[in-house]
Structure formats: structure tokens, C-alpha cells
């Protein structure tokens, strides 16, 4: 009979509480009825949620961040998937160098990455700020997709694909009808990471954005410096709840995929 370790359970619970405490503070502070961001709140009110949803200050940056995150995912997910499949299934010269190249953004500090991209895009003469942000996000997100999809493809036996080809399916048909359905959990995880990481990116936007382009993280960062009101907690709470809902939907799809 296995022994129970109540001390370990207590320690784990304290760790989880320590991690969740900042999120709970933000959620509770968002219902503050006062004019300033304080904890505990002085009263209960939904006025700051109303201001966030109808005031217009956060609407434009929110739509820009959503558009940027969706487009980044649409480009980074297929590119990262193909790169991961090529690395996992084929042997070719400079394979290790190619793998290191696509994983290098994971180890390069984002600050240096932003400076390098700013100099590079300026040299190329790319002055469309949204395009610069989109290209930077794609470059930044692809390594996460590659790492996730490498793990997904490595769990699949090559004999399954070989059996499909022996039965008459072409390699392309095998990839779309056999390989990708098997790696569906990794695809969903990659899409979730792409959306969240792109939506949340701040440092790159500070270097590459310009007049007329403002993302939600930039607006929040500016308000933290110059306008510390409970509306910050309200918009942050909306992001937290939205992220949790997206994660729950992704988990539901993953469970549905396993059953089917």
C-alpha cells in the first residue's frame, strides 16, 4: 500500500496558491467602485467593465491584437508543422544546423531580437508597421510550433505511414489523412500557443510599431505608467477569462479527438 504524504500535498497547494494569487487579486480589483486601483476594493461595481467594453480606448488595440494573433497563427502553424515534419521524418545535410536555426528565437532575448528586426526591416525599407509586426510575430512563434509538433510527430510510428502508402495512398494523402489526424492534439496545442503568445507579445511591438498601430499589451503598458485605474484590472480580467475559455475549448477538442 502506498503511503500518503500530506506534507507534500500542503506544499503543492501553497505553490498553486502562490501562482494563482496575482490573478485572483486582479479579478477582485476589477470590481472596485473607486477611482484608483487598490486592493482590497472599496466597493463592488461593474463600471470599469462597462468603460472597457464601451469606452473605445481598448477596443481598437484589442481588435489589432486579435487580428495579429489570428494571422500569425494562420501562417506560423502550417510553416512550423512542415518544418517539424521534415526534421522528424527525413535525413539530409545540415539537418542539425537547420533545427538550431529555427529554434534560435527561443534562446535569443526578445529585447535583442526586437532591435535586430528593427534594423533589418529598416534596411529592407519595410515601413508598413502592421506588416513588420506580423512578420516578426511569425518568426517568433514558429519555433514554438516546431517544438510542439516535433513532440507530436515523434510519438507516431513510421510503420503506420508506411502501411498507408503500401495500401495505395500517396505520401501527400498519407500526410493529410493519417499523420495530421494523429498529431491533432499537438496541432491544437500549437494553435493555442500561437494565439496566446502572439496576442501577449509586448517587447517586439514597442520596437516595430508606429503611428496608427497600437496593440492591447502596449495600451495596458502605457496605462500602467500614466493611468493606473481599475479599468486595467477589468481588461486584464477579460483577457484572463478569455484565455481560460480558449484553453478549455482546446482541451475539449483534444478529448473529442481521442474518442474519435
Amino acid at each position: 500500500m502506498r503511503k500518503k504524504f500530506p506534507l507534500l500535498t500542503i506544499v503543492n497547494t501553497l505553490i498553486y496558491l502562490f501562482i494563482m494569487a496575482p490573478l485572483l487579486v486582479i479579478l477582485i480589483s476589477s470590481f472596485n467602485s473607486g477611482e484608483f486601483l487598490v486592493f482590497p476594493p472599496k466597493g463592488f461595481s461593474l463600471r470599469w467593465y462597462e468603460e472597457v467594453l464601451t469606452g473605445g480606448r481598448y477596443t481598437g488595440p484589442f481588435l489589432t491584437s486579435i487580428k495579429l494573433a489570428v494571422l500569425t497563427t494562420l501562417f506560423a502553424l502550417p510553416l512550423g508543422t512542415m518544418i517539424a515534419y521534415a526534421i522528424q521524418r527525413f535525413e539530409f545535410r545540415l539537418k542539425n544546423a537547420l533545427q538550431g536555426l529555427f529554434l534560435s528565437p527561443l534562446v535569443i532575448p526578445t529585447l535583442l531580437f526586437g532591435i535586430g528586426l528593427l534594423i533589418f526591416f529598416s534596411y529592407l525599407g519595410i515601413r508598413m508597421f502592421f506588416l513588420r509586426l506580423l512578420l516578426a510575430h511569425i518568426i517568433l512563434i514558429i519555433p514554438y510550433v516546431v517544438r510542439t509538433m516535433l513532440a507530436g510527430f515523434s510519438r507516431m510510428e513510421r510503420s503506420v505511414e508506411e502501411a498507408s502508402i503500401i495500401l495505395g495512398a500517396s505520401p501527400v494523402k498519407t500526410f493529410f489523412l493519417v499523420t495530421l489526424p494523429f498529431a491533432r492534439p499537438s496541432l491544437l496545442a500549437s494553435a493555442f500557443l500561437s494565439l496566446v503568445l502572439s496576442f501577449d507579445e509586448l517587447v517586439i511591438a514597442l520596437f516595430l510599431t508606429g503611428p496608427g498601430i497600437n496593440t492591447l499589451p502596449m495600451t495596458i503598458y502605457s496605462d500602467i505608467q500614466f493611468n493606473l485605474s481599475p479599468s486595467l484590472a477589468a481588461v486584464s480580467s477579460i483577457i484572463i477569462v478569455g484565455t481560460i475559455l480558449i484553453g478549455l475549448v482546446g482541451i475539449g477538442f483534444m478529448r473529442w479527438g481521442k474518442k474519435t
Side-chain angles (χ1 to χ4, degrees):
M1 180 180 294
R2 299 181 61 183
K3 296 182 179 180
K4 296 182 179 180
F5 297 94
L7 180 60
L8 182 60
T9 303
I10 294 173
V11 171
N12 288 335
T13 303
L14 291 176
I15 293 175
Y16 290 139
L17 289 176
F18 179 78
I19 295 173
M20 298 299 297
L23 302 182
L24 294 176
V25 169
I26 291 174
L27 290 172
I28 295 173
S29 300
S30 65
F31 297 103
N32 184 24
S33 60
E35 297 292 333
F36 301 99
L37 186 61
V38 295
F39 184 85
K42 296 181 178 180
F44 181 85
S45 175
L46 296 176
R47 59 175 292 197
W48 301 110
Y49 284 95
E50 181 181 359
E51 179 176 326
V52 168
L53 296 176
T54 62
R57 173 169 176 76
Y58 297 101
T59 305
F62 174 78
L63 294 177
T64 300
S65 294
I66 286 292
K67 180 180 178 181
L68 188 61
V70 171
L71 289 176
T72 298
T73 303
L74 291 177
F75 283 101
L77 187 60
L79 288 173
T81 300
M82 289 187 292
I83 293 169
Y85 185 77
I87 293 174
Q88 182 64 33
R89 287 292 187 263
F90 301 104
E91 296 293 334
F92 51 89
R93 295 181 59 186
L94 303 178
K95 176 179 176 178
N96 293 332
L98 181 65
Q99 184 175 358
L101 174 65
F102 281 107
L103 299 182
S104 59
L106 293 176
V107 297
I108 297 176
T110 310
L111 180 64
L112 299 180
F113 193 66
I115 296 174
L117 286 176
L118 175 62
I119 297 173
F120 180 67
F121 288 146
S122 299
Y123 176 78
L124 293 180
I126 301 177
R127 302 187 181 278
M128 298 175 62
F129 298 117
F130 186 84
L131 179 60
R132 298 203 304 190
L133 274 177
L134 179 60
L135 293 175
H137 279 221
I138 292 173
I139 296 172
L140 188 66
I141 298 302
I142 281 180
Y144 294 94
V145 178
V146 171
R147 291 300 300 176
T148 306
M149 294 308 301
L150 279 174
F153 289 138
S154 64
R155 293 172 47 247
M156 182 178 183
E157 296 290 339
R158 300 193 63 174
S159 58
V160 179
E161 296 174 309
E162 293 171 354
S164 175
I165 295 175
I166 291 174
L167 291 174
S170 65
V172 175
K173 193 173 183 179
T174 297
F175 177 76
F176 283 102
L177 298 182
V178 177
T179 307
L180 283 185
F182 182 88
R184 181 161 45 190
S186 297
L187 277 172
L188 292 173
S190 298
F192 176 75
L193 281 175
S194 300
L195 285 170
V196 172
L197 292 175
S198 177
F199 184 87
D200 189 55
E201 178 55 46
L202 171 64
V203 178
I204 296 296
L206 292 176
F207 282 99
L208 300 180
T209 192
I213 298 293
N214 200 15
T215 64
L216 186 59
M218 291 181 61
T219 304
I220 294 175
Y221 178 74
S222 175
D223 286 350
I224 290 175
Q225 292 181 306
F226 306 109
N227 182 30
L228 198 61
S229 72
S231 60
L232 282 170
V235 69
S236 300
S237 299
I238 294 174
I239 295 174
I240 292 171
V241 174
T243 304
I244 293 174
L245 291 178
I246 294 174
L248 292 176
V249 171
I251 293 173
F253 273 111
M254 291 173 65
R255 291 180 176 177
W256 173 77
K258 291 180 180 179
K259 293 179 179 180
T260 57

